[in-house]
């Protein structure tokens, strides 16, 4: 795409697409491997620790193993209480998941391993394309959690991402974000002044499965790709209509519908016309673009991709011609996705082994900028449990299969990010976490009573490049009543 890309000179020699960024692929794989290993290593090591529970020096042995394998100590109280009712492996598992998340999160905010804060080149590219903000809603399904940093290869710090089940984003919330964005342009000239003819770009990313389309598509739409695409487009149109009805400036909003094959990470783009109209039955498939352009030079490939984008725009009778800026943007997104197609071919044999859900924990609340990996987290963005009940119920259903049926608890991390410059914001964020945690206990009383759902509470000042702050946990006896 031309903003901070690595070297592509030797890609063809390695059997990769000429536009594939091989250096970025290697770096991203190292990060994915290290983080997922940290979580997937927990159960084998905990089994080993459990086998030592009858030894007289069990606590010492357990801590020694944990330090060597995890790099952190286990909660001493859980170990020391094992002589009473046995070793509570559910609490121990949840404690290890929470500590692993904390360490991964800290490393993300202190080291920026994905380089997502360095997005000036992308922001300029976006402005050159005629857009002052890119707002992306992927489905909350964990198989799309890497949509920004991996699938689209965009700097997470310069793209608004908010996930919802079925990609059915909250229209009112998005209108509020549009207002906030336009006010920043008007009052602060950020990222550009309000008199410049750029637009707010709203993107919906739905998903399906090429390996098992009837069962591994979007659960919120019954694994029906056509229904998922149609619902996404209707939500996009409703958002723009809301802007037009309230502010009479629909020209400042552009829409884009993108599909994702969660087995191969290849995207499909429903190329729109200038009015935002697109044909749900037709799209530009990045996997086909890959084959069409793999024998070309990088320069030839970019020209050919742009030609394909224009060729897939709706006919003239459907609306105005596609703008040059939208052509350039879609061309860039597809180019970036070619690297991800090769990434899956290089490191996952062309298709992920976990075609279904394999999330490690549920993230509920507001925040989680650091979650940029596929199948690491199921998202449930919510201000109250009631508002996000449908998303949460889907997550609990998923983890019933992943964890509960195996005797392991559902780890839930309740998070609320706040703006530190606002007086009392931290205290309100903590109170918000407490309310959500209490509501979780009320909504899923049996799971909580049986120790099959544990909750970590955390807040973060999103105005600072600072790590999260842990403010409570259901694993702490004093906080048990609040869950």
């Amino acid at each position: 795409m031309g903003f901070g890309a690595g070297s592509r000179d030797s890609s063809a020699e390695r059997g990769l697409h000429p536009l594939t960024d091989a250096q970025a692929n290697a770096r991203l794989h190292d990060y994915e491997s290290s983080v997922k290993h940290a979580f997937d290593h927990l159960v084998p090591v905990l089994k080993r620790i459990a086998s030592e529970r009858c030894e007289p020096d069990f606590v010492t042995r357990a801590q020694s193993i944990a330090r060597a394998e995890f790099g952190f100590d286990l909660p001493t109280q859980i170990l020391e209480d094992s002589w009473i009712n046995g070793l509570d492996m559910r609490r121990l598992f949840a404690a290890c998941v929470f500590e692993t998340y904390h360490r991964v999160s800290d490393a993300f905010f202190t080291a920026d391993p994905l380089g997502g804060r360095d997005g000036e080149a992308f922001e300029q590219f976006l402005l050159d394309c005629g857009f002052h903000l890119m707002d992306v809603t992927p489905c909350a399904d964990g198989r799309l959690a890497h949509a920004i940093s991996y699938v689209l290869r965009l700097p997470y710090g310069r793209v608004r991402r908010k996930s919802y089940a079925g990609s059915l984003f909250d229209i009112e919330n998005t209108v509020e974000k549009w207002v906030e964005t336009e006010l920043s342009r008007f009052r602060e000239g950020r990222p550009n002044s309000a008199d410049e003819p750029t637009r707010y770009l709203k993107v919906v990313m739905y998903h399906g499965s090429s390996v098992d389309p009837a069962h591994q598509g979007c659960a919120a739409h019954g694994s029906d790709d056509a229904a998922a695409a149609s619902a996404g487009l209707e939500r996009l149109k409703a958002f723009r209509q809301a802007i037009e009805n309230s502010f009479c400036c629909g020209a400042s909003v552009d829409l884009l519908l993108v599909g994702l094959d969660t087995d191969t990470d290849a995207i499909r783009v429903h190329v729109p016309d200038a009015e935002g109209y697109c044909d749900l039955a037709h799209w530009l498939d990045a996997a086909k673009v890959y084959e069409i352009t793999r024998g070309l030079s990088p320069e030839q490939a970019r020209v050919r991709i742009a030609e394909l984008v224009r060729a897939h725009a709706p006919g003239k009778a459907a609306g105005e011609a596609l703008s040059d800026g939208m052509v350039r943007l879609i061309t860039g997104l597809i180019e970036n996705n070619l690297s991800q197609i090769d990434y899956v071919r290089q490191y996952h044999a062309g298709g992920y082994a976990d075609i279904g859900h394999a999330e490690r924990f549920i993230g509920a609340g507001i925040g989680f900028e650091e979650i940029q990996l596929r199948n690491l987290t199921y998202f449930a963005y919510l201000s109250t449990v009631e508002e996000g009940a449908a998303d949460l119920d889907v997550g609990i259903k998923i983890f019933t299969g992943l964890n509960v049926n195996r005797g392991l608890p559902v780890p839930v991390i309740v998070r609320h990010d706040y703006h530190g410059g606002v007086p009392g914001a931290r205290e309100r964020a903590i109170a918000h976490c407490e309310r959500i945690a209490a509501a979780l206990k009320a909504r899923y009383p049996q799971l909580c009573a049986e120790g099959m759902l544990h909750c970590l509470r955390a807040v973060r000042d999103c105005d600072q490049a600072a790590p999260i702050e842990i403010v409570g946990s259901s694993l702490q006896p004093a906080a048990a009543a609040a869950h």
Side-chain angles (χ1 to χ4, degrees), residues 275-404:
E275 295 298 316
Y277 170 83
C278 66
D279 188 342
L280 291 176
H282 296 89
W283 55 78
L284 180 56
D285 187 336
K288 292 183 178 179
V289 173
Y290 183 106
E291 299 303 327
I292 291 170
T293 58
R294 67 183 308 172
L296 305 178
S297 69
E299 294 74 18
Q300 292 171 330
R302 290 189 180 98
V303 171
R304 183 65 178 129
I305 294 171
E307 293 173 348
L308 290 168
V309 171
R310 290 192 178 279
H312 282 75
K316 291 183 179 180
E320 299 177 24
L322 185 62
S323 70
D324 291 339
M326 183 64 84
V327 171
R328 187 177 175 192
L329 177 79
I330 295 174
T331 298
L333 295 179
I334 290 177
E335 175 181 334
N336 286 4
N337 187 239
L338 298 179
S339 288
Q340 185 63 15
I341 291 173
D342 265 336
Y343 178 92
V344 178
R345 293 183 180 187
Q346 282 179 279
Y347 301 112
H348 296 280
Y352 291 106
D354 53 344
I355 65 170
H357 292 280
E359 292 94 333
R360 280 67 172 181
F361 60 88
I362 293 176
I366 299 173
F368 297 102
E369 183 182 71
E370 71 271 35
I371 304 302
Q372 300 285 336
L373 292 176
R374 179 185 184 274
N375 252 348
L376 183 64
T377 310
Y378 174 85
F379 288 106
Y381 276 107
L382 70 166
S383 294
T384 66
V385 167
E386 291 73 22
E387 289 176 345
D391 285 9
L392 271 177
D393 288 346
V394 171
I396 294 297
K397 181 179 179 180
I398 289 169
F399 272 83
T400 297
L402 291 176
N403 284 21
V404 176

Side-chain angles (χ1 to χ4, degrees), residues 188-256:
E188 304 173 35
R190 183 169 54 89
N192 63 350
S193 60
D195 60 345
E196 294 186 42
T198 55
R199 297 171 300 284
Y200 185 109
L201 176 63
K202 180 63 190 176
V203 184
V204 157
M205 180 180 283
Y206 69 95
H207 65 103
S209 166
S210 57
V211 173
D212 188 3
H215 303 96
Q216 297 298 341
C218 184
H221 298 291
S223 289
D224 185 333
D225 295 358
S230 178
L233 180 59
E234 288 305 310
R235 193 57 59 105
L236 286 170
K237 290 161 63 177
F239 164 62
R240 187 168 66 178
Q241 189 65 51
I243 296 295
E244 291 176 350
N245 290 347
S246 301
F247 302 96
C248 302
C249 51
S252 66
V253 174
D254 268 1
L255 313 175
L256 186 61

Side-chain angles (χ1 to χ4, degrees), residues 37-54 58 61-63 65-70 72-75 78-79 87-100 403 406-409 411 475:
H37 173 75
F39 285 95
D40 297 343
H41 195 45
L42 297 178
V43 168
V45 174
L46 288 176
K47 286 181 178 179
R48 180 182 164 194
I49 289 173
S51 70
E52 302 278 348
R53 66 185 180 276
C54 294
F58 166 65
R61 287 173 179 249
Q63 295 290 30
I65 293 171
R67 292 187 197 107
E69 299 291 342
F70 300 151
F72 57 80
D73 284 345
L74 301 175
I78 296 177
L79 300 180
L87 184 59
D88 191 338
M89 293 305 300
R90 292 171 180 173
R91 287 171 63 82
L92 200 57
F93 171 78
C96 289
V97 171
F98 293 156
E99 180 60 26
T100 300
N403 284 21
R406 298 167 54 209
L408 293 174
L475 298 173

Side-chain angles (χ1 to χ4, degrees), residues 98 361-364 392 396 410-414 440 453-457:
F98 293 156
F361 60 88
I362 293 176
L392 271 177
I396 294 297
V410 180
V412 180
I413 297 166
V414 173
L440 282 171
L453 189 156
H454 280 291
C455 175
L456 182 76
R457 305 187 294 280

Side-chain angles (χ1 to χ4, degrees), residues 429-443:
I430 293 173
H432 174 85
C433 288
E434 299 290 349
R435 286 194 300 271
I436 295 296
L440 282 171
K441 187 175 182 180
R443 188 170 185 84

